[in-house]
């Protein structure tokens, strides 16, 4: 039998799985304290992605400065998964970027000056990148060799830089969320923008962009409102789309039915357009939320039959139909739970009493006059 002294002297270590479970219930400060307790606990925390994400340490460089071979970032003894660079000029990266970039999952660049080739070198050293934002960059040089690497883990790209499209096409093969924040009027840039979208069309789940006449034909194959029969975006679940004024200028309106055929799994659709939105022939069995901005339409009845799972409807613009017509339509959509309407026409005594007209299925009702 062991003596009391021998029992006290024995050490007992919890299994890694149990420690991970305990750590998962800690908030940031206690988790930081646990991580600094001993080498084993630090290793356990750093090796568990969910724990590292909870720490959420972000490297920030937001002061006007030049980042060159003399730059030495102040990095804490913690895994850095996110980096934000703003208002800096990036000249050289070899001395400081590789050890920082290798662990990043999120990178955001705002208002930076950098050569395109240097930016590609930075991305080359971020193999674990999941989320990338590039906004308002000033390129000191556009010369860049064809990239020989891919960011296979990159899922989300938000970009406002038209000069990047050609080099991004081969390195972003598995994007799920793509946000393009500008309209590209030059044919060459518009073409590259559309090629980037088409290159990831099979993996995209969320897309936000401006549709030009070129894109209308290149992406959707729409000519005189005839769409391709096969799904163009088979996995897309959410789309925000701004129809550029050049589209269908000779037509009376835009029919969204052909577009929905190209996106069979779509659940949320937001359309910005100054055209008449034609809903006739609409068939979207998975559509749950529809937003129409700056539109006008007289065939909201099509929603009842064409969107049987619609739960949210937002109508915002100068073409909102008569209030009574809206209530008559939504009475036919039993799944609808939220209705938000904003239009120029005031609610007068000649229009239905809102308290009596409100359908029983609605949980949220918002009626505003612009």
């Amino acid at each position: 039998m062991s003596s009391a002294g021998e029992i006290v002297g024995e050490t007992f270590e919890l299994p890694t799985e149990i420690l991970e479970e305990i750590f998962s219930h800690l908030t940031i400060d206690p988790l930081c304290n646990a991580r600094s307790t001993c080498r084993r606990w630090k290793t356990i925390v750093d090796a568990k992605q969910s724990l590292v994400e909870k720490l959420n340490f972000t490297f920030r460089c937001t002061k006007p400065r030049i980042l060159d071979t003399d730059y030495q970032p102040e990095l804490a003894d913690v895994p850095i998964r996110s980096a934000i660079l703003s208002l800096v000029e990036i000249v050289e990266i070899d001395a400081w970027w590789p050890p920082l970039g290798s662990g990043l999952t999120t990178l955001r660049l705002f208002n930076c000056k950098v050569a395109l080739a240097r930016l590609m070198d930075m991305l080359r050293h971020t193999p674990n990148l999941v989320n990338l934002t590039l906004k308002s960059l000033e390129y000191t040089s556009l010369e860049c060799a064809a990239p020989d690497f891919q960011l296979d883990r990159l899922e989300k790209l938000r970009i406002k830089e038209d000069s990047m499209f050609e080099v991004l096409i081969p390195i972003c093969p598995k994007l799920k969320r793509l946000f393009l924040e500008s309209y590209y009027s030059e044919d060459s840039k518009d073409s590259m923008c559309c090629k980037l979208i088409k290159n990831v069309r099979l993996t995209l789940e969320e897309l936000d962009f401006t549709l030009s006449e070129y894109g209308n034909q290149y992406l959707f194959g729409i000519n005189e409102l005839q769409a391709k029969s096969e799904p163009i975006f088979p996995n897309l679940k959410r789309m925000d789309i701004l129809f550029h004024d050049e589209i269908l200028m000779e037509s009376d309106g835009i029919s969204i039915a052909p577009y929905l055929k190209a996106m069979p799994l779509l659940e949320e659709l937001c359309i910005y357009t100054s055209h008449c939105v034609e809903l006739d022939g609409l068939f979207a069995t998975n559509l749950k939320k529809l937003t129409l901005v700056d539109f006008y339409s007289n065939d909201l009845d099509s929603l009842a039959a064409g969107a049987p799972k619609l739960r949210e409807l937002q109508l915002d613009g100068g073409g909102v139909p008569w209030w009574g017509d809206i209530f008559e339509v939504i009475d036919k959509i039993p799944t609808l739970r939220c209705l938000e309407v904003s239009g120029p026409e005031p609610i007068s005594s000649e229009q239905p009493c809102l308290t009596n007209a409100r359908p029983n299925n609605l949980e949220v009702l918002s009626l505003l006059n612009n």
Side-chain angles (χ1 to χ4, degrees), residues 139 159-166 184 186 189 192:
Y139 294 104
I159 185 169
K160 198 176 180 181
E161 308 305 324
D162 48 29
S163 299
M164 284 287 293
F165 289 139
E166 187 170 3
Y184 306 99
E186 296 181 25
K189 295 176 180 178
M192 288 299 171

Side-chain angles (χ1 to χ4, degrees), residues 327-354:
F327 285 114
E328 184 178 341
V329 170
I330 60 179
D331 266 332
K332 302 175 183 178
I333 310 177
T335 58
L336 199 65
R337 296 294 179 266
C338 175
L339 173 66
E340 298 181 18
V341 181
S342 176
E345 296 297 328
I347 302 175
S348 69
S349 58
E350 298 178 358
Q351 294 164 345
C353 175
L354 300 185

Side-chain angles (χ1 to χ4, degrees), residues 55 60 62 80 84 111 113 131-132 152 154 157-158 160 163 169 182 225 230 237 253 273-274 277 303 305 317 354 366:
L55 291 174
R60 299 176 185 270
T62 58
I80 304 296
I84 299 176
N111 300 293
K113 293 178 64 176
N131 184 349
L132 175 62
D152 291 324
L154 188 65
L157 174 62
R158 185 180 295 273
K160 198 176 180 181
S163 299
I169 291 173
S182 295
L225 300 182
E230 73 276 8
K237 296 180 180 179
T273 178
S274 58
V277 177
L303 288 176
L354 300 185
S366 175

Side-chain angles (χ1 to χ4, degrees), residues 278-313:
E278 298 176 1
L279 302 175
D280 185 46
L282 178 146
F283 185 70
T285 56
N286 293 295
L287 191 65
K288 298 177 181 178
K289 180 177 180 180
L290 175 62
T291 302
L292 301 176
V293 181
D294 293 331
F295 82 108
Y296 54 98
S297 179
N298 294 315
D299 55 355
L300 290 177
D301 273 331
S302 300
L303 288 176
K309 296 181 180 179
L310 193 65
R311 293 182 61 85
E312 297 183 50
L313 179 59

